[in-house]
Amino acid sequence: MPQFPIDRYLLPETPVEVPEGFTEVRQSLTAGLPHRVELGAGVHAVLILPTGLARQWLHTDPLAVVSSSADDLAPRPAPPEAPRPPALVGRVPLRLVVRQGTRILGSVPLAAGLRRVCPDAGLSADAGAGAPVTVELLVLTWLLHAGTVRGSGDYGSSIALAWRRADRAVDQFGPPPINEFVWRRRPPAQRVESELGPARLRYRYLLDKKLRRVLR
């Protein structure tokens, strides 16, 4: 079955895995916020928490958990039978600001499994500044304690990301996959199908040389 078109934008039901071609970066947040994460290719991400409050953090237990990726990865409860009125959002607005030098490429909210390309296709480069580096960022896990929000110190906070260059062409080419519905309409004598591996990848072939394609 072909992959659902927006599957890459949905939050995962299982722990996030690093896809092939991505570079994983894990860091401890010992210098407080904002925290800079070097990615590569002259690009870095800055973890920020825009709350506008100071007194709240001064009176909070330094080891209190402010935000964690475990909330996204925990099993989702069944929806209630009766609809509930909307409630105020209690999640802190942690974000990653992706920059190339002083140029802002994009802003990525922290959500486990979220993949985001920076800059977005609709974002144009500054005049005379040259083309920006395009990167794809994947949020893996994070853990933020109140002491890290207040300042530097080892409170057990950490963050894990993965990234890759997204502005380079591939070096492997092949025929485009045939549409599944076109494959089904061909006579049975001209179709070959097999399933390989534990992931049950499906390969479908057309025996007609002019229409031979692979459907994964």
Side-chain angles (χ1 to χ4, degrees), residues 96 98 105-108 116-120 123 133-137 166:
L96 286 164
V98 183
L105 301 181
S107 178
V108 181
R116 184 69 57 84
V117 175
C118 299
D120 186 83
L123 181 63
V133 175
T134 303
V135 298
E136 184 175 8
L137 199 66

Side-chain angles (χ1 to χ4, degrees), residues 3-12 113 115:
Q3 187 179 24
F4 196 59
I6 64 170
D7 182 65
R8 61 182 298 186
Y9 299 105
L10 301 179
L11 297 181
R115 292 174 61 170

